[in-house]
Amino acid sequence: MAKRKTKTAETCSDPRLLAERALPQDGEDRNARERKSGRARSVTVNLAESPLGWLHARGHLTDRQFDAGEKLRADWERAHLAPRITMRWDAAPISGGKRRSIPAVLNETEAQLVAKQRFTEAIDHLGSDLSDIAWRIICGGEGTPVAEKNLGWPARSGKLVLKIALDRLVDFYRLPG
């Protein structure tokens, strides 16, 4: 695994959390490239890029709450629920191959369906009161003040309700801790 250099607010004047992440080459596994050359191309990533990351970076969310929110966002993205800008240009599947009785891993469509089902169950677990703020901040990328304004809520109430929603997501995803 690559060493990750992280700059925090204590070590630099920039309040963002920056980390170096290795980039895999086309068709290569990230870990295989690092083992082979010892050095890999890297990119600096802002860990506080999302509203959820911003709240976590400033100590407003626990690690478990942040992880639960990231799991919901990952399910949202894996299920391809966000609107698309262009059409998909993936290659068509090759037919005529040997079929196995039990697939070793889920294909892309099955993984998408499982993620959509898990996302729907998580939102249902939150209930109608908490799902709106959770979706707006975690999946929609709205900041807390924008989400509060769009929902017609008083200022500084969104963070409290979001924390309650994230605690329910911790229970849903059965995160340890």
Side-chain angles (χ1 to χ4, degrees):
M1 191 119 203
K3 293 180 183 178
R4 293 184 180 149
K5 300 177 198 172
T6 304
K7 300 176 188 176
T8 60
E10 295 86 33
T11 60
C12 64
S13 61
D14 192 1
R16 299 175 299 170
L17 295 177
L18 304 176
E20 290 291 321
R21 299 280 169 90
L23 289 176
Q25 292 293 86
D26 291 339
E28 283 186 323
D29 180 27
R30 177 183 298 167
N31 295 333
R33 176 165 172 76
E34 290 169 0
R35 277 181 268 142
K36 182 172 59 174
S37 67
R39 291 178 41 201
R41 290 182 21 199
S42 65
V43 65
T44 302
V45 178
N46 183 359
L47 299 175
E49 189 172 82
S50 70
L52 197 65
W54 189 91
L55 289 168
H56 182 255
R58 283 153 183 80
H60 297 293
L61 300 177
T62 65
D63 290 339
R64 292 178 70 215
Q65 289 171 330
F66 177 73
D67 291 341
E70 285 297 305
K71 281 192 167 290
L72 183 69
R73 188 185 57 77
D75 284 340
W76 165 262
E77 289 179 2
R78 196 170 293 125
H80 300 289
L81 295 173
R84 289 202 174 95
I85 297 173
T86 63
M87 65 185 291
R88 289 180 59 167
W89 294 96
D90 296 344
I94 300 171
S95 63
K98 227 180 186 184
R99 292 186 160 228
R100 296 181 185 172
S101 58
I102 300 173
V105 293
L106 297 176
N107 67 31
E108 185 178 341
T109 304
E110 292 168 337
Q112 182 178 353
L113 291 172
V114 169
K116 184 178 183 325
Q117 180 181 2
R118 198 170 39 243
F119 176 80
T120 304
E121 289 172 0
I123 291 294
D124 290 344
H125 183 76
L126 289 176
S128 61
D129 298 338
L130 300 175
S131 62
D132 201 16
I133 189 76
W135 181 87
R136 286 176 181 272
I137 293 175
I138 297 168
C139 303
E142 291 182 2
T144 310
V146 174
E148 292 167 345
K149 183 178 178 183
N150 289 338
L151 291 169
W153 291 2
R156 294 179 296 280
S157 62
K159 187 170 35 169
L160 177 66
V161 177
L162 177 66
K163 290 170 84 170
I164 294 168
L166 289 170
D167 286 335
R168 283 210 190 153
L169 284 175
V170 166
D171 294 338
F172 175 78
Y173 285 113
R174 296 183 180 131
L175 296 177

